[in-house]
Amino acid sequence: HGTASKLMGILDKSLSEYRTMPIADDYKYLLIDGIWVSVKDGAKTKKRPIVVVLGIKTDNTKEVLAFKLVRGESESEVAPILNDLYRRGLKGKNLKIVASDGAKGFKNAIEMVYPYAKWQLCSTHKLRNLCSNIEHKTKNQKKMMKEASKIYRSDTRKEAITKFNRFCLKWEDVERKATRHFAK
C-alpha cells in the first residue's frame, strides 16, 4: 500500500508538470480523437471518451500534447482542451491541418480555437466511412480498402490526386454510393 501511494504521488506530480509545461508553436498537424473507455461511476459502468490531441511537428516528430477524460465529444468538452494548448504556447501559426472525426463538437471547437487552420476528416474515419458504404462487401471491400488506403500513403499531393482519380474512375460504376461518399 505504501509503495502504491508513493508511485501515485510521483505520477500525479509528473502528470501535473506535463499538463502545464509550455508548448512550442512548431506543429504542422493536430490529430484529435476520442478513445472510448468504460469508467466505473459508483455501482454503474459508463462509456466515456478520453479526448487525445496528437501533434506532428514541422520535423515530423509526433507527441501526445493533451489527453483528458470527458463526458462527451461536445464543443463544451473539447474547446477547453484546445484553449489550454493555445494558452501554453500552441498558437497555430504553423498549423496546416487539424484532423478529427466528423463529430460537430470537435469541428466547432477546432474552428473556435484555430480558425485559420484547415480542418480535415482523419484518414482512418474516411476509410471507415468508405467501408460502411460498400454495397458488395465480399466482392469489393478488400480491393477497395487496399486501393483507397494507398492514396493516403502517397509521398506527394500530385501522387495522391492521381491515385484518387484512378480510384474513382475504376470504382464509380461498380460501387457508386461508396465512391461518391469517398469523393465527397
Side-chain angles (χ1 to χ4, degrees):
H1 177 54
T3 304
S5 292
K6 194 180 284 188
L7 284 171
M8 289 306 293
I10 292 168
L11 286 173
D12 281 346
K13 184 179 181 215
S14 296
L15 187 56
S16 178
E17 289 172 6
Y18 168 79
R19 287 196 166 144
T20 57
M21 70 180 183
I23 298 174
D25 195 19
D26 58 354
Y27 292 88
K28 60 181 178 179
Y29 306 118
L30 293 181
L31 307 172
I32 305 170
D33 203 359
I35 301 168
W36 288 80
V37 296
S38 295
V39 177
K40 278 212 171 238
D41 186 8
K44 294 181 181 181
T45 301
K46 296 179 179 180
K47 287 278 200 181
R48 289 180 50 196
I50 298 173
V51 172
V52 179
V53 180
L54 177 77
I56 302 174
K57 291 184 170 191
T58 51
D59 67 0
N60 290 323
T61 57
K62 299 172 187 160
E63 293 180 357
V64 174
L65 300 174
F67 59 92
K68 184 178 181 188
L69 180 66
V70 294
R71 289 185 297 275
E73 294 181 340
S74 67
E75 179 182 346
S76 63
E77 293 286 340
V78 178
I81 298 167
L82 297 180
N83 276 323
D84 183 59
L85 294 176
Y86 188 91
R87 278 191 304 275
R88 290 169 47 203
L90 182 51
K91 305 296 184 196
K93 291 179 183 171
N94 297 306
L95 279 180
K96 294 181 181 176
I97 294 174
V98 181
S100 70
D101 66 16
K104 288 185 190 223
F106 283 150
K107 288 176 73 175
N108 292 343
I110 292 163
E111 192 173 292
M112 182 182 8
V113 180
Y114 298 110
Y116 301 107
K118 183 178 177 187
W119 175 83
Q120 176 179 301
L121 183 66
C122 92
S123 59
T124 300
H125 289 91
K126 188 74 172 161
L127 290 171
R128 283 182 195 161
N129 289 346
L130 170 65
C131 186
S132 69
N133 284 296
I134 296 172
E135 290 179 48
H136 307 288
K137 294 201 186 301
T138 25
K139 184 178 177 187
N140 298 328
Q141 181 175 335
K142 192 173 182 179
K143 290 183 236 173
M144 284 186 84
M145 296 304 289
K146 186 176 180 181
E147 289 176 34
S149 64
K150 285 180 182 179
I151 297 167
Y152 292 101
R153 290 193 305 270
S154 299
D155 291 326
T156 65
R157 178 181 171 86
K158 184 177 181 181
E159 179 185 344
I161 290 169
T162 300
K163 287 179 183 178
F164 170 76
N165 288 334
R166 248 188 258 134
F167 176 89
C168 289
L169 283 172
K170 177 178 178 178
W171 292 104
E172 67 186 347
D173 291 332
V174 181
E175 288 283 354
R176 183 175 309 271
K177 180 182 172 189
T179 306
R180 283 186 178 168
H181 279 276
F182 188 67
K184 186 177 154 190

